[in-house]
Amino acid sequence: RPVIPIPGQTFGQYRIIRLLGKGGMGEVYEAEHMETGRRLALKVMNHALASDQDRKRFLREGRLAASVSHPNVVYIYGSEEIGSVPVIAMELVSDGTLKDLLKRKGPLPVSEAVEAILQMVAGLEAAQNVGVLHRDIKPANCFVAADSAVKVGDFGLSVSTLARGESLLTASGAVLGTPAYASPEQLRGEDLDVRSDVYSVGATMYHLLTDRTPFAAVDFVKLITEVLDKQPEAPSAIRQDIPDELSRVMLRCLAKDRKARFQTYDELRNALLPFAARETEAAAPARRFFASIVDELVAYGPSLMFLVYWSFDPLDKLSRERTLSAVLTWLPFYLWYLAYYSVSEGLWGAAIGKHLLGLRVVDLQNRRPGLLKALLRTAVFMVPFTAPNFVLMALMPLGQMQAALGRGDILVTDWLWLVLLITLFVTMRRRNGYAAMHDLLSKTRVIVRPRSQSRPALLSPAPGQIAPAKASLESAAANLRFSPYLAKEILWKRSGQQLLNGFDPVLRRNIWIEVLEDSGGVAVAQRRELSRPGRLRWLAGGVADDRSWNAYEAVEGVPLLAAVPQPWSAVRFWLLDLAEELSAGIEEPGTAAPAAVEHIWISRQGRAFLLDFPCPTLLPPIETAARITNTGELQDFLVGITSRAIEKIHSRPQAEATIALTNPSIPLHARAFLQSLAKRSFEKSEFVLGNLQSLVSKPAEVARSRRTASLFLFPAIILICGVLLALMISFDAIRVERSWANQFPGTPSFPAAAHLYTTYQDRLKDGEDAREDVELAQGYLASQFGFLSTNETFWTQLNLGTTFTPEQRQLLKQAVASPLPEPEKIQEIEKVMPKRLEATVVDHRIAHIWIVIGWCLVCSCLLAVVEFCGCILAKNSPVLRLFSMAVVDNFGQPASPGRLLGRWALVWLPGILIAVFGLGAIILAFVTYGSVADSIQLTGSAASLLRSSATAITLAAAIIWLLGIVYAVIRPQRGIPDRLSGTWLVMR
C-alpha cells in the first residue's frame, strides 16, 4: 500500500507543508526540499509503481514534462520514487489554478479570459516545438502565478509527437484524460496531433467564460456520447456579453472534425488577439481611402454597370422619371450597397478592401460591430449620395427638372453631394482615432487588424565566430558526480571557478554545474526560489570536497557573441527579455544578474537569458560583469547589446556613428526608440519596457504580402477602371444598335454605315484621296436607308442624334436622300460595303482593347508624376507611405530627395518607355496613310516599321518591369532599383 504524505511530516527528502489539491492521478502538496530549502509543489501519484513497465512509463512522462522550459509552462525540477510511490517535484505557482480562480470570481471577463488563453497557447506552442502534446488541458491543469501569468502544468498524460504509434489508450485499453475537455478523436483512442490540444483549449476557454463545460452530462457514458455526437451550445447564447465572433472561435475549436478546427496555434492566436486587452492602432486616413476604393468597386459595382450601360445611375433614373418602376429599379441597387457593407463589416469585421489592407471595423469594445451598427454606419455614409436627389425631388417638380436638364442647367445634385461627403470627414483627428461622422454616430472605428509577431528562432551562427574551451573532464578528474547529477566535461575553467556540462540521469536532460573553489558559494535563498523568464532555473547545490557547486538548467542555444549578427526582428525580443530581467533586478537588488555580454545566452527558440556565470563554450571573460542599479545604466547596457547584436552592413566614421545607424533594415519607429535609448531619454525602466513591448507587437520588416499589395493595388485599380471605360464606350455603341434594331427590325445597321460614311467624309476633308470610298458609302446609304429621308422624327431622336454632330447629321440626311446609283454600281456596293462594315466592327472591338491599354499607360504616367512629386515634396513614395513603408539609405537615414529621384527613375524608367513607345505604337496603329502620316513625313511602310519598333521596345520594357516586380516580391526590402540606388525599404 502506498505511503500517504502527511502535512508537517517528512516524505523522503521533502517536508510536507500543506495539501494544495487532489485529482484523478493523485494529490499535490506544497513542500520544502530539506537539502536546498526550496519551496515547491510535489505531485504524489495515488498508486505505487507495481512493475518495470509502470516505472518506465512514469520516467518517460517525467522526462517529457521536463523537456519543456518556457515562462508559461510549470517547470519540473525532478521526479523520483519515495517508498515505491512516484512523485514529481515542480515549480510552486502561488495563486492556484484557473479552476480555483473560477470558484473565486465566477465567469471571467472576456479580455481576462482571452489573455489567459493566449498565455496558455504560448506554453503549449513551446511544448509542441520540442515534440510534446499535453493531452489533458483543462482549468485545473493551468496555474496562475502571483504576477497573473498563466502556466500550463501537469504533463502527466503527455506524449511525444516524435514517437509513433502512441495513443491515449493504456496497456489495458482504458482511455485516459478528462472527457469533458478531451477531443472526440482522443476519446476514440486515435492518433493525436496538435489539433486535439486545440480542442481542449477551446473547451477550457468555454469553461472560463461560461462557468460550464461544453458538455456537462453527469453520467460518464452519456458524457462520452455527447462529446462524440452532440454540438455544444453557443457561448454567446449562454452569456450575452460574449461577442458572437469569439463564440464562433470557440465553436471552431470544438469542431468534431479536426480539419475544421484551427490547424496551428498561430492561427488560433490571431483569431483571439482582437479580444485581448491590448492597445489598438487606428487606421490612417490614406489607408482607409484606398481600402474604400476597392470596396466601392464592389458595393457600387452594379450601379456602375447600370450607369455604364444607361449613361445615368439608378438614382438619377428615379429622379428623372419618378415612377414605381424607377423605384423598383433603384431599390435593389441601394439594398445591395447596404447589405455589402452591413454584412461584411458587421459580421466579419471587414469588407474586401479593408481585409486586403489589413483593416478592421470594431465597436468601442474592439468587437465586431454587428449588423445594426454596421447598417447605421453604412446608411450615414450613403447620405451624401442619396439625400441631394431626394431633396431635389421634393423641391423641384418633374417638368421643371426635365426642362432644366434639357437646357443643360447645373442642378443642386451636381455639387451638394461633394459638400456633404467632405462634411462626413471633418471630424477626423489623430486624437479620436481618425473617426469620421459615420464612425461617431454608429459608435464604431476602423483599426489596423491585430496580428501576432512570432519570436524568430535563432539563426545558426557563422562557423568559427567563437572559440570553445579545449579543456576536457578527463584532464581534470574522472567520473565526477554532484549528487544526483553526473558531470561529463569541463566547458571552461579559470582561477577559482569552472563550469561543467552535467547530466540528470533520471530526467535525461543536460544541466550546467558551476563549481567554486570556496565552500561558501552556494546560491542564497532568493536565487534558489527565483523563477523569472530571463534567468536559468537553479536546480540544486551543495558543498563537495570543500568546493561549493550550483546546478542550473541547461538551455539549448549559443552565447550572444556566437549568435550575432541577427536581424532586428529577433534582436527586439532579446532586448525585451533582458530589459525585463534587468528591471526586475533593479527592483530587487538581491536577485540581480551580472550584466555583461559574456553572460548573455540565446536559446534556440530565440529567448535571451542572463546567466549567473560566463556562457558555456566561452574562453575567459571578455569584460567585467557588473550589476545594473538604475535606469540610465540599463539603457547604456541595452545600447551596447544592440550594437553588438545587429549586423553593421555599412559603416561611417566613428564620430558620426550612432546606435541608429548600425543597420539600414531597422524600422523607423524602432530607430527613434534606439536613438532615445542612446541619449538616456527614459526616466523609468517602465518606459523602456513599454516601448519594447510596443516594438515587438509591430511588423519588424517588410513582408512579402505587404510588398506585393503595394506593387499590385494601384495597377489593379487602374486596370479595372480602364475596363469599365471600354465597357462604357462599348455599351454606348450596343445601346445605339439595339435602339435601331428595335425601331427598324430586319434592316441593316444604319449607325454602323453612318459611322463609316462620316469617317470617309472626314478623310476627304483632310485632303486624302477618299472620293471613291465616299461614293460607295453614299450609294449604300441611299439604297438601304432611303426610306429615312422623310422621317423627321428619326433625325431628332436623342439616342442616335447625340452620336453625330449636327453637321454630320446634315451630311447623312443628304446622303440618304441622294439619287440611287446605277444597277451595276449597286451590285458593286452590295459586294464591297458589307465586308467593310464587318471589318469596321472588328476594328472597333480591337479599338476597345487599345483604349484599355492607353488608359493604363496614361494613368501610369500620372501615378509616376505623383510619385515624382512625393519624392521632392514629401521625401517619400506616396504609395509606399500608404502601406506604412519608408525609403532609407545605406545608413538607415531617410533617403535624400536626390536618392529618391534616382530610385524613382530606376522604378519608372521601364514604365516611361512603355508609356512613350506604347502610345506611339497605338497612334501608329491607326496611321498607315493620310494627313497625319503626311504631316510627319511618313509613308505607310515607314509607319508600319516604326510601329513594330515601338511595340518591340514596349514589350522589352514590360518584360524588364515584370522581372523587377517579381524580384521585389522575392526580396521585399531591396528590389533591383533599391540595390542600384543604394536604398532600403523599411517599416515606418
Side-chain angles (χ1 to χ4, degrees):
R1 182 173 179 176
V3 178
I4 300 175
I6 300 175
Q9 297 184 2
T10 60
F11 183 68
Q13 55 184 333
Y14 303 97
R15 183 174 66 86
I16 304 300
I17 298 175
R18 63 189 177 100
L19 178 67
L20 294 176
K22 294 183 179 182
M25 303 294 292
E27 295 82 32
V28 180
Y29 297 88
E30 181 181 350
E32 180 183 359
H33 191 271
M34 292 187 294
E35 184 177 344
T36 64
R38 176 170 46 207
R39 292 287 182 94
L40 45 76
L42 193 69
K43 182 170 184 177
V44 182
M45 303 300 183
N46 56 15
H47 62 278
L49 299 177
S51 65
D52 289 341
Q53 185 176 2
D54 286 345
R55 187 168 287 103
K56 289 179 180 178
R57 183 180 295 112
F58 168 69
L59 289 174
R60 177 186 62 79
E61 291 170 351
R63 290 164 186 162
L64 281 175
S67 67
V68 185
S69 179
H70 188 271
N72 295 113
V73 174
V74 175
Y75 189 77
I76 302 299
Y77 291 113
S79 62
E80 57 184 300
E81 290 181 65
I82 300 177
S84 298
V85 176
V87 299
I88 297 177
M90 54 190 178
E91 174 187 2
L92 177 64
V93 187
S94 60
D95 283 7
T97 66
L98 288 177
K99 182 179 180 181
D100 300 328
L101 186 64
L102 274 172
K103 289 181 179 179
R104 293 196 304 267
K105 299 177 60 175
L108 302 184
V110 171
S111 60
E112 184 178 345
V114 170
E115 286 289 351
I117 294 297
L118 287 172
Q119 293 183 66
M120 187 190 308
V121 165
L124 291 172
E125 192 171 36
Q128 181 199 9
N129 290 338
V130 296
V132 176
L133 290 177
H134 192 284
R135 303 200 305 174
D136 196 21
I137 291 295
K138 56 185 178 181
N141 286 343
C142 298
F143 300 84
V144 183
D147 60 355
S148 299
V150 176
K151 297 174 180 281
V152 178
D154 202 345
F155 280 77
L157 299 183
S158 302
V159 295
S160 172
T161 58
L162 306 179
R164 300 298 179 188
E166 293 189 88
S167 70
L168 199 59
L169 296 175
T170 64
S172 62
V175 177
L176 299 176
T178 307
Y181 304 92
S183 66
E185 63 268 22
Q186 189 171 2
L187 297 180
R188 287 192 292 263
E190 299 174 358
D191 290 337
L192 304 179
D193 55 29
V194 67
R195 293 171 292 183
S196 179
D197 279 355
V198 166
Y199 179 98
S200 301
V201 170
T204 300
M205 180 163 44
Y206 193 107
H207 194 174
L208 295 180
L209 287 169
T210 65
D211 202 15
R212 66 173 74 171
T213 56
F215 306 101
V218 177
D219 181 75
F220 184 81
V221 174
K222 186 176 180 181
L223 177 61
I224 299 294
T225 303
E226 287 184 354
V227 173
L228 294 176
D229 300 326
K230 188 178 177 182
Q231 295 298 325
E233 186 178 4
S236 57
I238 301 172
R239 180 177 162 186
Q240 293 184 350
D241 65 331
I242 296 177
D244 290 336
E245 181 184 359
L246 181 59
S247 181
R248 286 191 289 270
V249 169
M250 285 184 273
L251 293 178
R252 181 176 173 185
C253 290
L254 297 171
K256 305 299 181 188
D257 184 358
R258 68 178 82 184
K259 294 179 180 178
R261 300 174 201 151
F262 295 100
Q263 302 299 294
T264 65
Y265 287 123
D266 194 54
E267 286 184 16
L268 177 57
R269 182 186 296 109
N270 283 325
L272 292 174
L273 278 176
F275 308 100
R278 303 182 184 183
E279 290 295 326
T280 55
E281 179 185 354
R287 200 165 174 181
R288 288 181 61 173
F289 172 73
F290 287 103
S292 69
I293 290 179
V294 178
D295 285 328
E296 284 297 302
L297 285 175
V298 179
Y300 188 66
S303 298
L304 184 61
M305 297 305 296
F306 188 93
L307 171 65
V308 166
Y309 189 80
W310 294 104
S311 297
F312 47 84
D313 70 14
L315 189 55
D316 282 340
K317 178 180 174 65
L318 176 60
S319 299
R320 291 166 183 264
E321 298 180 6
R322 307 184 190 183
T323 61
L324 179 61
S325 63
V327 172
L328 295 178
T329 300
W330 166 76
L331 194 58
F333 294 100
Y334 180 76
L335 294 178
W336 160 250
Y337 194 99
L338 285 175
Y340 172 76
Y341 280 109
S342 302
V343 173
S344 60
E345 295 182 350
L347 299 183
W348 305 319
I352 295 174
K354 291 182 178 65
H355 179 76
L356 289 176
L357 287 179
L359 304 181
R360 177 185 174 92
V361 179
V362 297
D363 61 14
L364 299 183
Q365 288 76 42
N366 290 336
R367 302 177 300 185
R368 290 178 182 174
L371 281 175
L372 291 179
K373 287 187 177 181
L375 182 63
L376 174 61
R377 171 188 171 85
T378 307
V380 173
F381 182 76
M382 290 188 68
V383 166
F385 307 102
T386 56
N389 290 79
F390 286 103
V391 170
L392 185 68
M393 286 188 285
L395 299 180
M396 181 178 288
L398 178 60
Q400 184 180 347
M401 187 188 74
Q402 290 177 340
L405 290 173
R407 295 191 302 269
D409 294 347
I410 297 177
L411 302 178
V412 67
T413 53
D414 295 332
W415 54 268
L416 183 58
W417 69 270
L418 182 59
V419 174
L420 294 176
L421 183 63
I422 294 173
T423 304
L424 275 183
F425 296 97
V426 295
T427 61
M428 296 182 76
R429 302 287 190 279
R430 181 185 294 273
R431 61 176 179 270
N432 70 357
Y434 299 113
M437 192 70 71
H438 51 292
D439 299 318
L440 296 174
L441 293 176
S442 62
K443 296 183 179 180
T444 60
R445 56 197 182 118
V446 183
I447 63 171
V448 177
R449 182 178 178 86
R451 306 292 294 184
S452 64
Q453 297 293 313
S454 300
R455 181 185 292 263
L458 179 65
L459 299 178
S460 300
Q465 279 188 303
I466 188 164
K470 299 299 183 182
S472 66
L473 178 63
E474 288 71 24
S475 65
N479 299 320
L480 191 61
R481 296 188 66 90
F482 296 85
S483 181
Y485 309 119
L486 174 66
K488 298 191 298 183
E489 60 181 343
I490 296 177
L491 297 173
W492 52 254
K493 184 177 182 179
R494 65 182 181 181
S495 177
Q497 185 182 17
Q498 60 182 331
L499 185 67
L500 309 180
N501 187 19
F503 184 70
D504 183 342
V506 177
L507 295 180
R508 293 187 181 179
R509 64 182 177 188
N510 291 325
I511 61 169
W512 289 325
I513 305 172
E514 179 191 28
V515 181
L516 303 172
E517 293 300 329
D518 66 272
S519 59
V522 180
V524 297
Q526 278 183 301
R527 179 64 185 94
R528 295 197 296 266
E529 301 291 342
L530 198 63
S531 61
R532 293 201 293 255
R535 301 290 289 280
L536 297 181
R537 301 278 183 166
W538 182 87
L539 302 179
V543 178
D545 299 329
D546 294 327
R547 297 185 302 172
S548 57
W549 62 274
N550 295 286
Y552 300 89
E553 65 171 316
V555 177
E556 185 181 2
V558 295
L560 173 71
L561 295 174
V564 298
Q566 294 282 335
W568 168 253
S569 58
V571 173
R572 58 183 176 153
F573 284 97
W574 302 354
L575 295 178
L576 178 60
D577 295 337
L578 295 173
E580 288 177 339
E581 174 55 39
L582 293 171
S583 178
I586 294 174
E587 295 294 326
E588 301 179 52
T591 66
V597 66
E598 63 173 356
H599 285 251
I600 300 176
W601 183 260
I602 308 298
S603 72
R604 288 296 178 188
Q605 288 72 41
R607 185 172 294 276
F609 292 86
L610 267 175
L611 307 186
D612 294 71
F613 42 81
C615 292
T617 75
L618 279 178
L619 290 174
I622 297 172
E623 59 184 50
T624 303
R627 307 282 178 176
I628 299 296
T629 61
N630 57 63
T631 304
E633 293 176 355
L634 168 64
Q635 295 175 78
D636 292 341
F637 184 75
L638 294 180
V639 167
I641 295 304
T642 308
S643 298
R644 289 177 181 268
I646 294 181
E647 180 183 8
K648 299 172 181 62
I649 296 179
H650 299 280
S651 60
R652 279 185 170 178
Q654 187 65 29
E656 299 182 26
T658 66
I659 184 62
L661 301 179
T662 54
N663 189 302
S665 63
I666 298 177
L668 292 186
H669 61 265
R671 194 174 300 278
F673 165 75
L674 294 175
Q675 289 173 333
S676 298
L677 202 66
K679 297 174 183 177
R680 285 191 169 195
S681 300
F682 302 105
E683 296 180 358
K684 297 181 179 180
S685 60
E686 289 84 354
F687 298 158
V688 178
L689 292 176
N691 276 273
L692 284 169
Q693 288 170 351
S694 174
L695 288 177
V696 299
S697 68
K698 295 179 179 179
E701 57 189 9
V702 178
R704 287 184 179 176
S705 57
R706 186 183 295 267
R707 187 72 179 108
T708 302
S710 71
L711 290 168
F712 289 101
L713 175 64
F714 283 96
I717 293 175
I718 291 172
L719 179 60
I720 291 172
C721 292
V723 171
L724 290 174
L725 177 63
L727 288 175
M728 184 178 297
I729 297 173
S730 177
F731 283 155
D732 185 66
I734 292 173
R735 187 168 58 253
V736 170
E737 292 289 349
R738 181 174 296 176
S739 177
W740 168 262
N742 289 335
Q743 294 183 53
F744 304 100
T747 60
S749 172
F750 174 79
H755 275 294
L756 191 60
Y757 176 71
T758 55
T759 301
Y760 291 156
Q761 285 283 5
D762 292 339
R763 288 181 179 177
L764 186 63
K765 289 181 180 179
D766 292 336
E768 299 181 21
D769 187 10
R771 187 173 301 278
E772 183 177 353
D773 294 329
V774 170
E775 291 177 356
L776 288 173
Q778 181 175 333
Y780 185 78
L781 289 172
S783 61
Q784 297 291 333
F785 308 106
F787 65 93
L788 294 175
S789 59
T790 59
N791 190 342
E792 293 298 330
T793 304
F794 170 78
W795 297 106
T796 59
Q797 287 179 347
L798 290 178
N799 58 353
L800 290 179
T802 55
T803 308
F804 306 99
T805 65
E807 183 182 357
Q808 288 174 334
R809 267 184 285 173
Q810 186 63 31
L811 288 174
L812 288 170
K813 191 173 183 180
Q814 293 175 359
V816 168
S818 62
L820 290 176
E822 298 294 330
E824 295 81 3
K825 192 66 173 179
I826 291 178
Q827 291 180 0
E828 180 185 356
I829 290 172
E830 292 178 349
K831 182 179 180 181
V832 173
M833 287 301 297
K835 293 181 179 180
R836 291 194 179 185
L837 289 172
E838 184 178 350
T840 301
V841 172
V842 174
D843 288 342
H844 284 168
R845 292 174 181 172
I846 296 175
H848 294 151
I849 298 175
W850 284 111
I851 288 171
V852 175
I853 295 174
W855 167 269
C856 292
L857 293 175
V858 170
C859 290
S860 297
C861 290
L862 293 175
L863 183 59
V865 171
V866 172
E867 287 283 285
F868 181 86
C869 295
C871 293
I872 296 176
L873 302 177
K875 297 183 180 180
N876 196 9
S877 161
V879 173
L880 294 178
R881 187 180 181 88
L882 171 65
F883 289 90
S884 300
M885 291 185 282
V887 183
V888 298
D889 60 20
N890 285 326
F891 303 102
Q893 299 300 305
S896 64
R899 194 177 293 273
L900 285 172
L901 289 176
R903 180 184 183 276
W904 175 89
L906 292 168
V907 169
W908 290 100
L909 183 59
I912 293 171
L913 292 176
I914 293 172
V916 173
F917 289 96
L919 288 173
I922 294 173
I923 293 171
L924 292 170
F926 296 101
V927 178
T928 54
Y929 55 87
S931 60
V932 177
D934 293 340
S935 65
I936 55 177
Q937 302 298 313
L938 287 179
T939 63
S941 59
S944 178
L945 177 62
L946 282 177
R947 183 173 68 249
S948 300
S949 301
T951 303
I953 294 174
T954 303
L955 290 175
I959 291 172
I960 293 172
W961 209 5
L962 288 174
L963 290 175
I965 290 174
V966 171
Y967 188 87
V969 171
I970 297 173
R971 299 291 179 85
Q973 284 195 282
R974 278 207 107 181
I976 294 175
D978 294 298
R979 291 186 177 276
L980 294 176
S981 60
T983 58
W984 296 68
L985 296 186
V986 298
M987 298 303 299
R988 292 191 60 81

